[in-house]
Amino acid sequence: MEFQSQSRAKILVYVILGFAAFFILYPLVLMLLNSLKTNFEIFLNPIGLPENPNWGVFAKVWAAANLGRAIFNSLLISLGTVLSVCTVTSMAAWVVARRSVPGWFLISLYFLVTTTIPIQMYIFPLYFVMGWLGLINQPLAVIYIYTAIFTPFALFLLRTYIVEIPVELEEAARIDGASESQIFFRVILPLIKPGLITVALITGLSAWNEFLIAVTFLQTGEAATATARFYQLIGRFSSNWPEQMAIAAIIAVPVVVFFVILQRRFIEGVSSGAVKG
């Protein structure tokens, strides 16, 4: 009786997960299928299979839309943001976890409040500041803004990891003659590796998919990211749905594949942080 109950529960879980997977993957599969059709096929049967798949559409839009440059820009900005966020927040989290920082409550409150303010509220002052610094159409401006946006979450997450590390490990390293930098790089960093991977994944994917800041601060075609480039091409390819779907697939599929490969690390990092917090 107990075995039957467990089997029914397991079947129910698989059914729920199957529905969830279907609703998550269906838009992506539909986008790929429609990119291989003609305009007439899409209007006639948007959810059906293509009669004669046109695989050449991907090579065509890759060259016509200059997607190689846009994807390179997105990759550069995402990696730069990940490196900046992980470096700054890991060091800052170690300090706030181990030292008595004056005004830490107010600082943390400030971080929490700023994360709730819509980005539209401060995008115009930021634009004037970046224009005054000569950073419009420069990836550095976007990396700087992304770093500021993603820092609060990363700081709080990494702090929960460091708080749980026994202080005795650091004291033993100091007794052995290790400097503060050696303690950080050889003791702290290896122990918070799951948290760093989680921060890197969330930050990288968010920076890759971000649109408003990218389209505001990177206005030229050569500096545009993949998402901004797609927005710029909507008018050009507005009457050609297969080419629009192909461009969207080229931009979206690598990110989905990357996340699927590292999703176990992501879940482990988030669950570990939740338990420790």
Side-chain angles (χ1 to χ4, degrees):
M1 191 66 181
E2 184 179 353
F3 176 75
Q4 289 181 347
S5 177
Q6 290 179 352
S7 299
R8 287 174 184 173
K10 187 177 292 184
I11 292 172
L12 180 62
V13 169
Y14 281 125
V15 170
I16 294 173
L17 291 177
F19 273 109
F22 173 78
F23 283 110
I24 292 172
L25 294 176
Y26 181 71
L28 184 62
V29 173
L30 195 63
M31 179 176 64
L32 288 172
L33 290 177
N34 285 326
S35 67
L36 302 174
K37 300 177 183 176
T38 62
N39 266 334
F40 179 73
E41 284 183 282
I42 293 176
F43 287 114
L44 188 65
N45 186 12
I47 60 174
L49 297 174
E51 294 183 2
N52 297 303
N54 179 22
W55 296 101
V57 68
F58 293 101
K60 179 182 177 182
V61 298
W62 178 274
N66 194 19
L67 287 180
R69 178 68 186 184
I71 289 176
F72 172 78
N73 291 336
S74 287
L75 192 62
L76 175 66
I77 291 172
S78 299
L79 291 177
T81 304
V82 168
L83 182 62
S84 178
V85 169
C86 289
T87 302
V88 171
T89 57
S90 59
M91 293 181 178
W94 186 40
V95 172
V96 298
R98 292 292 189 246
R99 305 288 193 275
S100 178
V101 179
W104 167 241
F105 173 76
L106 295 177
I107 295 173
S108 60
L109 183 63
Y110 169 76
F111 282 154
L112 290 175
V113 171
T114 54
T115 55
T116 62
I117 298 176
I119 193 172
Q120 291 86 350
M121 296 290 290
Y122 50 85
I123 198 167
F124 286 108
L126 273 177
Y127 186 84
F128 288 120
V129 170
M130 292 300 170
W132 181 71
L133 294 173
L135 293 177
I136 300 298
N137 294 320
Q138 299 293 328
L140 183 61
V142 180
I143 292 174
Y144 177 80
I145 297 171
Y146 286 168
T147 301
I149 292 174
F150 302 133
T151 288
F153 164 77
L155 176 62
F156 290 128
L157 181 65
L158 293 179
R159 180 179 175 274
T160 62
Y161 278 87
I162 296 175
V163 165
E164 294 299 319
I165 298 174
V167 181
E168 290 77 10
L169 290 177
E170 299 175 36
E171 292 175 347
R174 288 192 182 92
I175 292 173
D176 290 340
S179 63
E180 293 300 306
S181 60
Q182 288 175 326
I183 293 173
F184 176 73
F185 286 106
R186 297 186 180 181
V187 177
I188 300 298
L189 277 186
L191 293 174
I192 63 171
K193 185 178 176 181
L196 280 175
I197 293 175
T198 304
V199 168
L201 275 174
I202 294 175
T203 303
L205 293 177
S206 301
W208 180 280
N209 292 321
E210 202 283 330
F211 170 73
L212 182 59
I213 293 174
V215 78
T216 302
F217 291 89
L218 302 174
Q219 300 175 352
T220 63
E222 287 298 314
T225 61
T227 53
R229 186 65 179 150
F230 179 71
Y231 171 73
Q232 294 168 355
L233 294 170
I234 288 178
R236 181 177 171 183
F237 294 101
S238 59
S239 61
N240 196 321
W241 288 100
E243 292 186 354
Q244 284 195 38
M245 295 296 104
I247 295 173
I250 291 174
I251 295 172
V253 169
V255 181
V256 175
V257 172
F258 178 73
F259 184 78
V260 169
I261 293 174
L262 296 178
Q263 54 89 21
R264 177 172 294 180
R265 296 279 188 180
F266 172 76
I267 295 172
E268 288 176 355
V270 172
S271 58
S272 299
V275 172
K276 290 176 180 177

